[in-house]
Amino acid sequence: MKQLSVIDSLQHVGQEIELQGWIDSKRDHKKVIFIDLRDRTAKIQAVGDESLRVLSPEDVVKVTGLIKERPERLINPNISTGTIEMEIKSFEILNTAQTPPIPLDTEGYDIEEELRLKYRYLDLRRKRMAETIQLRSDYIYALRQELNSRSFTEVETPMLTKSTKEGARDFLVPSRLQPGKFYALPQSPQQYKQLLMVAGVERYFQFARCIRDEDLRADRGFEHTQLDLEMSFVNREDVMNTVEEMVKGAVKSVGGTLQQEKFPVYDYADAIKQFGEDKFDLRTEEEKKNGVLAFAWVINFPFFKKVDAADKAEVADGKSGWTFTHNPFSMPLPEHLDWHMKGEHIDQIMTTQYDLVCNGFEAGGGSIRAHKPEILEATYKIMGYTAEETQASVGHMLEAFKYGTPPHGGIALGIDRHVMVLKNERSLKEAIAFPMSSSGKTAVMDAPSHVDERQLKELGIEVTEQG
Ligand code: ASP
């Protein structure tokens, strides 16, 4: 195993050590040749004789050499090992590299997306991307610590499941053993996390992959990562406060700067009046440049909205012409529960939903849930479901709620978005190791792709039209 990282060389001045990594660059001064040796921790300048001429950028090497203090005038303040260099005694090439098809020593924003994603494993070597991957890991670690210190329990939920109604289309997975039947990939763990509340878990979390067949936009893929959590015996403010404290703690521990210590709370109607939308940006121009994070809450959303006729998923959900704005499993505000149960003043019923916004993006959303079967039934009735249709859709939830279900609520935070704003990036794709291209193609691997006739046969599937 590699014993020392490049950054460790600072502790070994005057000693001969072995380092392994990539050739970041080479400068040929005829009799002496300089290379910069790079690993995930740092770069170090190394100097040797003409034998280094065979090396090319991105070759992987093992070098042994003496770590020396640099004379004052040769100190390079731009790299973390700028006070030292290595005098190479010997080296071994572990693997040679062809010239990379994309430049790696730039920020990379100007390279065509398809090319960056085709060679994502190279694109991720770029300093900016390597930093983001590390930041993402550090942020998730910090959130996990916040959750653990508040006695949350991590639970995994199935990936092969049934339609979960988050307002998008499902990705379907055909069943081989029951031809003609399908699983759906989860749009979120919503129903399972609520079932965990019925089970008595009380405080659940999961870093969950959510898969939604939405119309692609430049900045959206089919899958995203949520920090999904749910709590029992709480009200709206309890969840908001817990989440706010956790997010603040995690943001600070990765060096993020918050605009406000207490996140301001806006009424949905006021936000629309003031900003024209419910995802607003509270930062000044100066704060935008400095990567400050301006979080805020939005509450008091309408529970229902008129179905958008152009949205097929909405049309399917809202049989009466009404569908949910956020989440069908939400509880209405207590003062509107009576209307809800009677199906009156539908346009005025407000939900307990809370959205967390940050820098103009939706950074999370959740609600207190309808934990009694009759309230969930009333929601589906307003959407025009018959008793049988409601039973077919959420009968398992109605059944579960009959066995002593604590009042509960939760939230899901969009981790990709959080990392994007923490790093002051403009695209979600910059925050994900292997994002999907804007045209829906997977990074590096060429999916979706055709499959064998034999595989289709096994599944009892016949493709009638090929795009
Ligand atoms: N399941 C919801 C979503 O994915 C979030 C929540 O209400 O907890 O948007």
Side-chain angles (χ1 to χ4, degrees), residues 164-166 187-191 193-194 204 210 212 224 226-230 326-327 329-330 353-355 362 364-369 409-413:
T164 50
K165 295 231 178 304
E166 298 289 341
Q187 292 185 35
S188 90
Q190 180 70 37
Q191 298 185 41
K193 72 173 169 178
Q194 290 192 244
Y204 141 93
C210 300
R212 301 179 185 183
H224 67 274
Q226 291 185 342
L227 166 51
D228 192 46
L229 64 87
E230 198 74 10
H326 287 79
N327 193 330
F329 297 100
S330 298
Q353 176 82 21
Y354 27 82
D355 274 4
E362 189 186 321
S367 62
I368 299 302
R369 322 299 183 185
I411 197 167
L413 304 175

Short mmCIF file of all heavy atoms in Angstrom, two decimals, residues 164-166 187-191 193-194 204 210 212 224 226-230 326-327 329-330 353-355 362 364-369 409-413, ligand 1:
data_model
loop_
_atom_site.label_atom_id
_atom_site.label_comp_id
_atom_site.label_asym_id
_atom_site.label_seq_id
_atom_site.Cartn_x
_atom_site.Cartn_y
_atom_site.Cartn_z
N THR A 164 -44.84 5.73 -6.22
CA THR A 164 -44.81 6.46 -4.95
C THR A 164 -45.37 7.88 -5.02
O THR A 164 -45.30 8.61 -4.05
CB THR A 164 -43.38 6.52 -4.38
OG1 THR A 164 -42.51 6.98 -5.40
CG2 THR A 164 -42.95 5.18 -3.86
N LYS A 165 -45.90 8.28 -6.17
CA LYS A 165 -46.62 9.56 -6.27
C LYS A 165 -45.87 10.76 -5.71
O LYS A 165 -46.21 11.30 -4.66
CB LYS A 165 -47.95 9.48 -5.51
CG LYS A 165 -48.93 8.52 -6.10
CD LYS A 165 -50.29 9.18 -6.30
CE LYS A 165 -51.26 8.22 -6.94
NZ LYS A 165 -50.76 7.69 -8.21
N GLU A 166 -44.85 11.20 -6.39
CA GLU A 166 -44.22 12.47 -6.04
C GLU A 166 -44.48 13.45 -7.16
O GLU A 166 -43.78 14.44 -7.32
CB GLU A 166 -42.72 12.29 -5.81
CG GLU A 166 -42.36 11.37 -4.67
CD GLU A 166 -42.67 11.94 -3.30
OE1 GLU A 166 -42.82 13.16 -3.17
OE2 GLU A 166 -42.78 11.14 -2.36
N GLN A 187 -39.70 7.16 -6.45
CA GLN A 187 -39.53 8.61 -6.66
C GLN A 187 -39.05 9.25 -5.36
O GLN A 187 -38.47 10.33 -5.36
CB GLN A 187 -40.84 9.23 -7.11
CG GLN A 187 -41.26 8.78 -8.51
CD GLN A 187 -42.49 9.50 -9.00
OE1 GLN A 187 -42.69 10.67 -8.70
NE2 GLN A 187 -43.32 8.83 -9.75
N SER A 188 -39.32 8.58 -4.25
CA SER A 188 -38.77 8.95 -2.94
C SER A 188 -39.19 7.84 -1.98
O SER A 188 -40.09 7.07 -2.30
CB SER A 188 -39.32 10.29 -2.46
OG SER A 188 -40.49 10.11 -1.70
N PRO A 189 -38.54 7.76 -0.80
CA PRO A 189 -38.97 6.72 0.15
C PRO A 189 -40.17 7.14 0.98
O PRO A 189 -40.40 6.59 2.06
CB PRO A 189 -37.73 6.54 1.06
CG PRO A 189 -36.65 7.37 0.46
CD PRO A 189 -37.31 8.43 -0.36
N GLN A 190 -40.95 8.09 0.49
CA GLN A 190 -42.05 8.68 1.26
C GLN A 190 -42.89 7.67 2.04
O GLN A 190 -43.05 7.78 3.26
CB GLN A 190 -42.96 9.48 0.32
CG GLN A 190 -44.14 10.14 1.01
CD GLN A 190 -43.70 11.29 1.89
OE1 GLN A 190 -42.78 12.03 1.54
NE2 GLN A 190 -44.32 11.45 3.03
N GLN A 191 -43.44 6.68 1.35
CA GLN A 191 -44.38 5.79 2.04
C GLN A 191 -43.67 4.86 3.00
O GLN A 191 -44.14 4.62 4.11
CB GLN A 191 -45.20 5.01 1.01
CG GLN A 191 -46.03 5.95 0.14
CD GLN A 191 -46.95 5.22 -0.81
OE1 GLN A 191 -47.57 4.22 -0.44
NE2 GLN A 191 -47.03 5.70 -2.03
N LYS A 193 -40.94 5.53 4.62
CA LYS A 193 -40.50 6.23 5.84
C LYS A 193 -41.68 6.45 6.77
O LYS A 193 -41.54 6.40 7.99
CB LYS A 193 -39.73 7.51 5.53
CG LYS A 193 -40.50 8.70 5.00
CD LYS A 193 -39.57 9.92 4.93
CE LYS A 193 -40.20 11.07 4.16
NZ LYS A 193 -39.33 12.25 4.13
N GLN A 194 -42.86 6.66 6.20
CA GLN A 194 -44.04 6.80 7.06
C GLN A 194 -44.37 5.46 7.72
O GLN A 194 -44.76 5.43 8.89
CB GLN A 194 -45.22 7.31 6.24
CG GLN A 194 -45.04 8.77 5.82
CD GLN A 194 -46.33 9.36 5.27
OE1 GLN A 194 -46.40 9.72 4.12
NE2 GLN A 194 -47.35 9.44 6.11
N TYR A 204 -36.07 8.66 11.75
CA TYR A 204 -35.46 7.91 10.64
C TYR A 204 -34.69 8.85 9.73
O TYR A 204 -35.09 10.00 9.54
CB TYR A 204 -36.55 7.21 9.83
CG TYR A 204 -36.33 7.21 8.33
CD1 TYR A 204 -35.69 6.14 7.68
CD2 TYR A 204 -36.77 8.29 7.54
CE1 TYR A 204 -35.50 6.17 6.30
CE2 TYR A 204 -36.57 8.30 6.16
CZ TYR A 204 -35.93 7.25 5.54
OH TYR A 204 -35.73 7.27 4.20
N CYS A 210 -33.41 8.94 -5.47
CA CYS A 210 -34.79 9.09 -5.91
C CYS A 210 -34.81 9.18 -7.42
O CYS A 210 -34.01 9.89 -8.01
CB CYS A 210 -35.38 10.35 -5.32
SG CYS A 210 -35.34 10.30 -3.54
N ARG A 212 -36.98 9.75 -10.88
CA ARG A 212 -38.22 10.33 -11.41
C ARG A 212 -38.08 10.53 -12.90
O ARG A 212 -37.12 11.15 -13.36
CB ARG A 212 -38.50 11.68 -10.73
CG ARG A 212 -38.62 11.54 -9.22
CD ARG A 212 -38.88 12.86 -8.50
NE ARG A 212 -38.85 12.61 -7.06
CZ ARG A 212 -39.08 13.50 -6.12
NH1 ARG A 212 -39.37 14.73 -6.45
NH2 ARG A 212 -39.03 13.16 -4.85
N HIS A 224 -31.71 11.74 -8.31
CA HIS A 224 -31.05 12.67 -7.41
C HIS A 224 -30.95 12.04 -6.01
O HIS A 224 -31.57 11.02 -5.75
CB HIS A 224 -31.78 14.02 -7.38
CG HIS A 224 -33.14 13.97 -6.78
ND1 HIS A 224 -34.26 13.65 -7.49
CD2 HIS A 224 -33.56 14.20 -5.50
CE1 HIS A 224 -35.32 13.70 -6.69
NE2 HIS A 224 -34.93 14.01 -5.47
N GLN A 226 -31.36 12.44 -1.96
CA GLN A 226 -32.00 13.20 -0.89
C GLN A 226 -31.50 12.74 0.47
O GLN A 226 -31.30 11.54 0.67
CB GLN A 226 -33.52 12.93 -0.87
CG GLN A 226 -34.29 13.48 -2.02
CD GLN A 226 -35.79 13.24 -1.84
OE1 GLN A 226 -36.21 12.40 -1.04
NE2 GLN A 226 -36.59 13.97 -2.59
N LEU A 227 -31.32 13.70 1.38
CA LEU A 227 -31.28 13.30 2.78
C LEU A 227 -32.74 13.27 3.20
O LEU A 227 -33.39 14.32 3.32
CB LEU A 227 -30.49 14.29 3.64
CG LEU A 227 -30.68 14.11 5.15
CD1 LEU A 227 -30.49 12.68 5.60
CD2 LEU A 227 -29.79 15.04 5.92
N ASP A 228 -33.25 12.06 3.36
CA ASP A 228 -34.67 11.86 3.64
C ASP A 228 -34.80 11.61 5.13
O ASP A 228 -34.06 10.79 5.69
CB ASP A 228 -35.13 10.64 2.84
CG ASP A 228 -36.64 10.51 2.82
OD1 ASP A 228 -37.30 11.53 2.59
OD2 ASP A 228 -37.14 9.39 3.04
N LEU A 229 -35.68 12.32 5.81
CA LEU A 229 -35.84 12.03 7.24
C LEU A 229 -37.30 12.17 7.67
O LEU A 229 -38.10 12.82 7.00
CB LEU A 229 -34.92 12.90 8.10
CG LEU A 229 -35.06 14.40 8.14
CD1 LEU A 229 -36.07 14.83 9.19
CD2 LEU A 229 -33.70 15.01 8.50
N GLU A 230 -37.62 11.55 8.76
CA GLU A 230 -38.99 11.56 9.27
C GLU A 230 -38.93 11.45 10.80
O GLU A 230 -38.06 10.74 11.34
CB GLU A 230 -39.77 10.38 8.66
CG GLU A 230 -41.28 10.49 8.75
CD GLU A 230 -41.92 11.49 7.77
OE1 GLU A 230 -41.23 12.01 6.86
OE2 GLU A 230 -43.11 11.77 7.93
N HIS A 326 -47.74 19.55 -3.51
CA HIS A 326 -46.45 19.03 -3.05
C HIS A 326 -46.46 17.54 -2.79
O HIS A 326 -45.64 16.81 -3.28
CB HIS A 326 -45.98 19.75 -1.78
CG HIS A 326 -45.53 21.14 -2.00
ND1 HIS A 326 -46.40 22.19 -2.14
CD2 HIS A 326 -44.29 21.67 -2.12
CE1 HIS A 326 -45.71 23.30 -2.34
NE2 HIS A 326 -44.42 23.01 -2.33
N ASN A 327 -47.39 17.12 -1.94
CA ASN A 327 -47.31 15.77 -1.40
C ASN A 327 -48.70 15.32 -0.95
O ASN A 327 -49.30 15.96 -0.08
CB ASN A 327 -46.34 15.79 -0.20
CG ASN A 327 -45.93 14.42 0.24
OD1 ASN A 327 -46.69 13.45 0.07
ND2 ASN A 327 -44.75 14.29 0.80
N PHE A 329 -49.53 13.01 0.89
CA PHE A 329 -49.55 12.44 2.24
C PHE A 329 -49.53 13.50 3.34
O PHE A 329 -49.47 13.19 4.51
CB PHE A 329 -48.38 11.45 2.41
CG PHE A 329 -48.50 10.29 1.47
CD1 PHE A 329 -47.77 10.24 0.29
CD2 PHE A 329 -49.40 9.27 1.73
CE1 PHE A 329 -47.92 9.19 -0.60
CE2 PHE A 329 -49.56 8.21 0.84
CZ PHE A 329 -48.81 8.18 -0.32
N SER A 330 -49.53 14.77 2.93
CA SER A 330 -49.46 15.86 3.90
C SER A 330 -50.74 16.01 4.70
O SER A 330 -51.82 15.61 4.26
CB SER A 330 -49.18 17.19 3.19
OG SER A 330 -47.94 17.12 2.53
N GLN A 353 -47.01 21.87 4.58
CA GLN A 353 -45.75 21.81 3.82
C GLN A 353 -44.81 22.97 4.20
O GLN A 353 -45.25 24.10 4.41
CB GLN A 353 -46.08 21.89 2.33
CG GLN A 353 -44.88 21.93 1.39
CD GLN A 353 -44.31 20.56 1.12
OE1 GLN A 353 -44.97 19.54 1.28
NE2 GLN A 353 -43.05 20.53 0.70
N TYR A 354 -43.52 22.66 4.28
CA TYR A 354 -42.49 23.69 4.42
C TYR A 354 -41.42 23.41 3.38
O TYR A 354 -40.99 22.27 3.21
CB TYR A 354 -41.84 23.68 5.82
CG TYR A 354 -41.88 22.32 6.49
CD1 TYR A 354 -40.93 21.34 6.19
CD2 TYR A 354 -42.91 22.00 7.39
CE1 TYR A 354 -40.99 20.09 6.78
CE2 TYR A 354 -42.97 20.75 7.98
CZ TYR A 354 -42.01 19.80 7.67
OH TYR A 354 -42.08 18.56 8.22
N ASP A 355 -41.03 24.44 2.67
CA ASP A 355 -39.93 24.30 1.70
C ASP A 355 -38.73 25.08 2.23
O ASP A 355 -38.88 26.18 2.76
CB ASP A 355 -40.33 24.88 0.34
CG ASP A 355 -41.07 23.86 -0.53
OD1 ASP A 355 -41.34 22.75 -0.04
OD2 ASP A 355 -41.38 24.20 -1.68
N GLU A 362 -34.70 25.41 -4.63
CA GLU A 362 -35.40 24.65 -3.61
C GLU A 362 -34.39 23.67 -3.02
O GLU A 362 -33.88 22.81 -3.72
CB GLU A 362 -36.58 23.90 -4.24
CG GLU A 362 -37.48 23.27 -3.22
CD GLU A 362 -38.56 22.41 -3.87
OE1 GLU A 362 -39.10 22.80 -4.92
OE2 GLU A 362 -38.81 21.32 -3.32
N GLY A 364 -34.98 21.85 -0.20
CA GLY A 364 -35.64 20.77 0.53
C GLY A 364 -37.11 21.05 0.68
O GLY A 364 -37.58 22.17 0.43
N GLY A 365 -37.84 20.03 1.07
CA GLY A 365 -39.27 20.21 1.29
C GLY A 365 -39.82 19.04 2.07
O GLY A 365 -39.32 17.92 1.97
N GLY A 366 -40.84 19.34 2.88
CA GLY A 366 -41.46 18.27 3.66
C GLY A 366 -42.75 18.78 4.27
O GLY A 366 -43.20 19.89 3.98
N SER A 367 -43.33 17.96 5.14
CA SER A 367 -44.60 18.35 5.75
C SER A 367 -44.90 17.46 6.94
O SER A 367 -44.27 16.42 7.14
CB SER A 367 -45.74 18.23 4.74
OG SER A 367 -45.89 16.88 4.33
N ILE A 368 -45.89 17.90 7.72
CA ILE A 368 -46.52 17.02 8.69
C ILE A 368 -47.49 16.17 7.88
O ILE A 368 -48.08 16.64 6.91
CB ILE A 368 -47.26 17.86 9.77
CG1 ILE A 368 -46.25 18.74 10.51
CG2 ILE A 368 -48.03 16.94 10.74
CD1 ILE A 368 -45.10 17.99 11.21
N ARG A 369 -47.63 14.89 8.26
CA ARG A 369 -48.40 13.97 7.43
C ARG A 369 -49.80 13.72 8.00
O ARG A 369 -50.02 13.82 9.22
CB ARG A 369 -47.68 12.62 7.32
CG ARG A 369 -46.18 12.68 7.22
CD ARG A 369 -45.69 13.43 5.99
NE ARG A 369 -44.21 13.39 5.94
CZ ARG A 369 -43.49 14.02 5.04
NH1 ARG A 369 -44.05 14.77 4.09
NH2 ARG A 369 -42.17 13.93 5.05
N GLY A 409 -43.93 13.78 10.85
CA GLY A 409 -43.63 14.67 9.73
C GLY A 409 -42.16 14.56 9.40
O GLY A 409 -41.38 14.03 10.19
N GLY A 410 -41.79 15.06 8.25
CA GLY A 410 -40.38 14.94 7.86
C GLY A 410 -40.04 15.88 6.74
O GLY A 410 -40.79 16.82 6.44
N ILE A 411 -38.93 15.58 6.13
CA ILE A 411 -38.44 16.45 5.06
C ILE A 411 -37.47 15.65 4.20
O ILE A 411 -36.97 14.60 4.62
CB ILE A 411 -37.72 17.69 5.65
CG1 ILE A 411 -37.58 18.80 4.59
CG2 ILE A 411 -36.35 17.33 6.21
CD1 ILE A 411 -37.18 20.15 5.19
N ALA A 412 -37.23 16.14 3.00
CA ALA A 412 -36.15 15.61 2.17
C ALA A 412 -35.32 16.80 1.70
O ALA A 412 -35.88 17.78 1.22
CB ALA A 412 -36.71 14.83 0.99
N LEU A 413 -34.02 16.71 1.88
CA LEU A 413 -33.12 17.78 1.44
C LEU A 413 -32.40 17.32 0.18
O LEU A 413 -31.92 16.19 0.11
CB LEU A 413 -32.09 18.09 2.53
CG LEU A 413 -32.64 18.47 3.91
CD1 LEU A 413 -31.51 18.63 4.91
CD2 LEU A 413 -33.44 19.77 3.81
N1 ASP B 1 -41.01 12.86 -0.21
C1 ASP B 1 -40.96 14.28 -0.44
C2 ASP B 1 -40.17 14.59 -1.71
O1 ASP B 1 -39.39 13.79 -2.15
C3 ASP B 1 -40.30 15.03 0.65
C4 ASP B 1 -40.99 14.89 1.95
O2 ASP B 1 -42.15 15.33 2.06
O3 ASP B 1 -40.37 14.40 2.90
O4 ASP B 1 -40.30 15.67 -2.27
#
